[in-house]
Amino acid sequence: MPMTCEQCRELLPAFLSGDLSPAEQEAVNIHLAGGCPGCAGAFVEEQATVALLGFSLDPIPPPPLAKARLMERVTAGGDLNVAARETAGASDARKPAERGRWLRALAVAALVALVIGAGYHLLERRRSQQRIVALQRVIEDRDTRLAQLQSLVTTGQLSLIALDGSKPQPNASGRVFWDKDSGRWHVFVFDMQPPPPGREYELWFITADQKKVPAGTFGVDARGRGELVVQVPADLGPLALAAVTDEPVGGSPQPTGAIQLVGEVK
Amino acid sequence: MATELLLYEAVAQEIGKPSAPPSSEDLVLFNSMAAGDVAALETLYNRYSPMVFALCARVVGDKTEAEDVLIDVFSQIWTRRTQFDPARGAPLTYILTIARSRALDRRRSRRGRPVLDDAAAASSAAGAPSDGPVGRLLAGEDALRVRAALAQLDEGPRRAIELSFLEGLTHAQIAEKLDRPLGTIKTIIRQGLIRLRELVRIPGRDAPDAHDM
């Protein structure tokens, strides 16, 4: 039998305090859910009346940490409205885990930057050391060349050999300063064409008995200029000619290319 | 309204308890929470946590457990913030209903007694807007007047109501404790709640409801 409104309202206090039997509770639920507006309103009023009991108590400030625990739990839910939170200025409500992630990300970024910086520093340091070594070699070469030129200028026995361009390069020319004190030839060439790809120029000592001795290889710059300093072998014997041919890169034991320059040794 | 506010402040001063803010401010806070504003929850907590904590401590009987319940209450308010319907009761009614329900759950689970159905959920399930006087009373500045009304209840009904709704005793336990017949206890609780509603009514403003007749 359906519950009447009078029966329902009589049971509402016990319904709210959980003192009804399962059958009675089910009956009240059915009655309220059945759309009886009077009893539904009475239930809400009864419930509000019970809520009044909270006012009969003296307020007690909760422990200070309770609020922090609440905000931590709430913000850990991850469904905050960021805009609203920023508007409210509730920056202290930011999720601790999120702060932790940001801090970890920043730490990783800082570490990566540090490693990259340290690596770049080490690389630059190594490059600088390489540049220093290269510059030291340049300086040493220039010191050697300067010493050779000083020797050439100050030598007591100096011979000059003029080199003339032959048929392939008639406009080319050269000079050989023979420092007989040191036994060195200082060779300078002018207006020579660059050698063909895979080839370079080679200087030859040609003795009186037509023996051809390789003296060294060299290249020319954009203006067709090149130079070479070579030591004349002491046991070479009387020299008759100086000649320049084009040879495969690395030089040849005997001339194979055309003669580019040639001069008589006097 | 100005007269009521003066009365409200006077009662608050007389009983030495803090003034409750107008309910319209609470509605704004609930709307802000529904939009995801956690700062609004913080404001509600600052405003009502002493009242809720006192209720939880009374029901649970232990402040450490009451702190846990307090956090559960405001967490539930936050997670269900979009479900609050102002047509069915004032925000403070909603908060206190959840608080009492959660605290009784904690107390009864400790004693092995089946927990209550969620009273707050039952409120929504009931579905009817609260146009009655008590529902309006809790809508703001009348709240402290309720305390004076509670003090006017006879000792028997007030004690039975407190044992039932604040301490979670069954009607049978209350009957034994107060040495009264079970039927009498059921009657004085029901009549005590009716008397309480009458005491908190403002004459000339709150007409009796049809369901009170």
Side-chain angles (χ1 to χ4, degrees), chain B residues 27-208:
Chain B
L27 289 175
V28 170
L29 291 173
F30 267 83
N31 287 334
S32 298
M33 280 199 303
D37 183 3
V38 76
L41 174 71
E42 198 171 352
T43 303
L44 272 179
Y45 179 89
N46 293 338
R47 183 172 292 175
Y48 294 125
S49 60
M51 187 181 295
V52 172
F53 185 61
L55 178 60
C56 295
R58 172 66 184 273
V59 174
V60 173
D62 178 88
K63 286 191 176 179
T64 302
E65 282 196 74
E67 181 183 342
D68 293 339
V69 177
L70 171 75
I71 294 168
D72 289 343
V73 168
F74 281 94
S75 294
Q76 181 174 332
I77 289 169
W78 173 256
T79 55
R80 300 185 184 179
R81 60 193 182 276
T82 58
Q83 298 174 13
F84 171 72
D85 182 358
R88 293 173 182 166
L92 188 51
T93 305
Y94 180 73
I95 293 171
L96 291 174
T97 300
I98 291 176
R100 194 185 69 85
S101 178
R102 292 282 74 81
L104 286 173
D105 285 349
R106 174 65 68 102
R107 182 185 174 114
R108 288 168 176 171
S109 66
R110 198 173 54 204
R111 293 194 319 211
R113 178 178 171 181
V115 298
L116 278 176
D117 287 343
D118 191 330
S123 171
S124 297
S130 174
D131 292 328
V134 175
R136 288 198 298 270
L137 273 172
L138 283 181
E141 71 274 11
D142 299 301
L144 285 179
R145 196 156 55 85
V146 170
R147 297 177 193 161
L150 283 167
Q152 293 179 52
L153 279 182
D154 291 339
E155 173 66 17
R158 185 173 59 79
R159 185 68 181 136
I161 288 172
E162 288 176 347
L163 289 172
S164 176
F165 295 104
L166 292 182
E167 299 186 18
L169 270 61
T170 65
H171 288 181
Q173 289 169 327
I174 296 169
E176 184 179 350
K177 189 177 186 73
L178 298 182
D179 195 20
R180 305 285 290 271
L182 179 59
T184 302
I185 292 300
K186 290 182 178 177
T187 300
I188 65 173
I189 288 176
R190 181 168 185 265
Q191 290 177 342
L193 292 175
I194 293 171
R195 176 64 178 153
L196 185 58
R197 278 201 299 274
E198 291 172 349
L199 286 171
V200 297
R201 263 191 205 115
I202 295 176
R205 193 190 75 173
D206 301 320

Side-chain angles (χ1 to χ4, degrees), chain A residues 9 25 45 47 55 58 81, chain B residues 17 35 117 119 123 135 147 211:
Chain A
R9 292 179 195 186
Q25 188 159 336
E45 276 294 283
Q47 190 177 52
F55 291 98
D58 286 326
N81 182 317
Chain B
K17 292 179 179 175
D117 287 343
S123 171
R147 297 177 193 161
H211 59 257

